Amino acid sequence: MRYDTIVVGGGPAGATAALTLAKAGARVLLLERRRLPRYKACGGCLSRRVERLLPFDLNGLVEEQITNLTFTWRGRNPVEATFSEPVAYMVWRDRFDQALCDRAVEAGVELLDGQVVRAVRESAGGVEVDLGGRTATADFLVGADGARGVVARDLFPDRSQPMAVGLDAELPLTSAGEAVLKGRVIIDVGRVPGGYCWAFPKRGVASVGVSVDRGAAKRAMPCLTAFLSAGGFSDRKAVRTTGALIPVYHDGTGPLHRGRTLLTGDAACLVDPFLGEGIYYAIQSGQLAARAIVRAGSHSGDLQWYQEAISTEIAPELEAAGRLSRTAHRASWLWFQVLRRRRGVIDLYKKVLMGEASYRLFEDRVWAGTPRPVAMLFGVWADRRSLSDRHQEVGSR
Ligand SMILES: Cc1cc2nc3c(=O)[nH]c(=O)nc-3n(C[C@H](O)[C@H](O)[C@H](O)COP(=O)(O)OP(=O)(O)OC[C@H]3O[C@@H](n4cnc5c(N)ncnc54)[C@H](O)[C@@H]3O)c2cc1C
């Protein structure tokens, strides 16, 4: 079996890369170890800007449109924001990912689900993929196999990245709980350093979860339990509670290409450290990977363009999100006070979700309007030098 490109992983990154390549005329094999549609532990919250990336509309996949954001401190002191248009959509990941894979197949991609990739290696002029008894070969390989995937394990052995731990529970809602969560997302901070809880509605069901630094993993379940009982979302048991690693972006991407192989999405650790959003960056990096491969076809296989594209289009955003997360998660009480007192911060965050403002602009505006001593204090948890420089630079404009 010989292909132009083999893509490992049928999540948003892999399906998008495969779809984009097939549309450009490539012969693509997409390998997914689970049978589709497959469950994925995820809140399923898509920021509205994802519409700008998707080559199809989300009709029929959206379980809930979000027009209300509520931030709480340990379940209390709600800070509310209501918008006149949706800022995010809720989807079930099994259906959303299946829809992306269906589009890829319609564009000509050969999809093998239920097919585990055992190992990958470089070969003369290409790559080899071990399917357990069979080998597939290609000119290029895309690693879209999530956190701790086989492609990074075999071809990028030096990559190491800190992980967060996420727990996601699905709860049938009572009618009272459904009324509370209708069109609303709740984000709760202050229960565990570096962590936060969420409640996302999906037509009669809530995805309720927690994300914490890996070092605090033992505190994730007690934190989730406390959030659930304080929120009173349901009097029934969770249908399912699942844990998974979240490969948050931290201090640069490291190498994302080697020879004829690229890493995308979670495999490349492209998850927003501020809010844990990974689907958007998985799709964006999948598209960039496909473009890089198309370019490399006429540039003697050189994939360096991909690293540069990630460095200019994604990394600056995730770096700004990282600085914000270090303050918001570590000095969560101070951050919560900023949200309470400055409604403009939430309005600006809406613009980030809509794709109308960058994280960098958001960060600038937050620091510009924050009293200097508070911004300096935040700097202790973020990146001290760049933050105080930034405060000075923005304040002097
Ligand atoms: C609890 C939790 C909640 C989250 N909530 C949100 C949210 O609300 N919004 C958001 O944007 N992000 C959220 N995320 C992050 C988001 O789920 C990921 O960033 C996103 O799924 C990344 O997409 P991907 O395509 O890179 O990887 P994945 O979606 O993980 O897909 C990788 C695929 O590769 C397959 N695979 C792995 N190994 C192999 C192999 N050896 N052979 C073949 N196939 C293989 C897997 O089965 C999987 O289907 C959450 C994460 C967690 C853990």
Side-chain angles (χ1 to χ4, degrees), residues 67-71 78-85 87 184 335-351 362 365-366 369:
T67 49
N68 297 281
L69 305 180
T70 300
F71 299 91
V79 177
E80 310 270 0
T82 300
F83 305 105
S84 56
E85 59 185 333
V87 294
R184 176 184 308 280
W335 177 249
F336 191 70
Q337 297 313 310
V338 170
L339 291 179
R340 280 187 74 183
R341 283 155 212 259
R342 292 181 55 204
R343 165 66 203 240
V345 169
I346 299 177
D347 288 339
L348 196 58
Y349 198 70
K350 176 211 169 200
K351 292 193 171 181
F362 175 71
R365 296 273 170 84
V366 169

Side-chain angles (χ1 to χ4, degrees), residues 9 12-13 32-33 38 42-45 93 117 144-145 266 277-279:
E32 167 53 49
R33 76 173 161 195
R38 60 98 176 85
C42 183
C45 180
R93 283 294 302 276
V117 170
D145 44 353
D266 276 16
E277 181 179 25
I279 301 167

Side-chain angles (χ1 to χ4, degrees), residues 40 238 371:
K40 162 86 180 86

Side-chain angles (χ1 to χ4, degrees), residues 8-15 31-34 36 38 40-47 90 93 97 115-118 144-150 165-168 198 200 209-210 242-247 264-267 270-271 275-280 282:
V8 184
L31 297 163
E32 167 53 49
R33 76 173 161 195
R34 312 258 302 275
L36 296 173
R38 60 98 176 85
K40 162 86 180 86
C42 183
C45 180
L46 300 177
S47 60
M90 292 297 157
R93 283 294 302 276
D97 292 16
Q115 176 63 68
V116 180
V117 170
R118 306 274 172 206
D145 44 353
R148 308 179 75 173
V150 67
V165 173
L167 285 181
D168 185 53
W198 66 81
F200 295 165
V210 59
T242 320
L245 292 172
I246 308 180
T264 57
D266 276 16
L270 297 177
V271 179
L275 270 191
E277 181 179 25
I279 301 167
Y280 179 83

